[in-house]
Amino acid sequence: MIWPFRPRRRADNWMLTFSGTRYWPASPRAEDIHIVDIAHHLSRICRYTGAVKVEHYSVAEHSVHVSHVVPPEHAFQGLMHDSPEYVLSDLNRPAKVDCPEYKRLEARNWVVIAE
């Protein structure tokens, strides 16, 4: 599936990932996505925007837990369900509801990651 709107890649609108790849979150390409980046970034992002009672509960740890509680045929989707957050960070649910542009970026990145 091709995303219907692909913004122009501005020269200054990219981020550097853990693997050293330049990544444009507003205009993602499948060839710029590396599983090592997803795993590394999500392991360092705290779930629930840090509002946890433990020292650190990462988005990666949460994703692993989800992959264990869904039916086995959905384990990979459970593992990857928050993968766009590797480049967008984790917003809390109230903020996501009030940020339609974030939701569009998240959907755009999810489609390309799933590709």
Side-chain angles (χ1 to χ4, degrees), residues 78-95:
L79 181 67
M80 299 300 289
H81 80 281
D82 280 335
S83 58
E85 294 176 8
Y86 97 96
V87 290
L88 301 176
S89 292
D90 183 25
L91 285 184
N92 59 56
R93 186 168 307 280

Side-chain angles (χ1 to χ4, degrees), residues 45-64:
I45 298 171
C46 194
R47 181 83 173 141
Y48 307 115
T49 61
V52 293
K53 294 185 183 217
V54 295
E55 180 64 27
H56 181 79
Y57 180 54
S58 72
V59 175
E61 184 178 358
H62 160 75
S63 296
V64 169

Side-chain angles (χ1 to χ4, degrees), residues 26-80:
S27 186
R29 298 183 311 191
E31 60 265 27
D32 296 331
I33 296 168
H34 305 287
I35 194 71
V36 68
D37 291 328
I38 295 171
H40 179 82
H41 291 225
L42 293 183
S43 73
R44 294 179 173 243
I45 298 171
C46 194
R47 181 83 173 141
Y48 307 115
T49 61
V52 293
K53 294 185 183 217
V54 295
E55 180 64 27
H56 181 79
Y57 180 54
S58 72
V59 175
E61 184 178 358
H62 160 75
S63 296
V64 169
H65 289 308
V66 170
S67 76
H68 291 156
V69 299
V70 298
E73 64 271 18
H74 299 296
F76 186 69
Q77 290 92 336
L79 181 67
M80 299 300 289

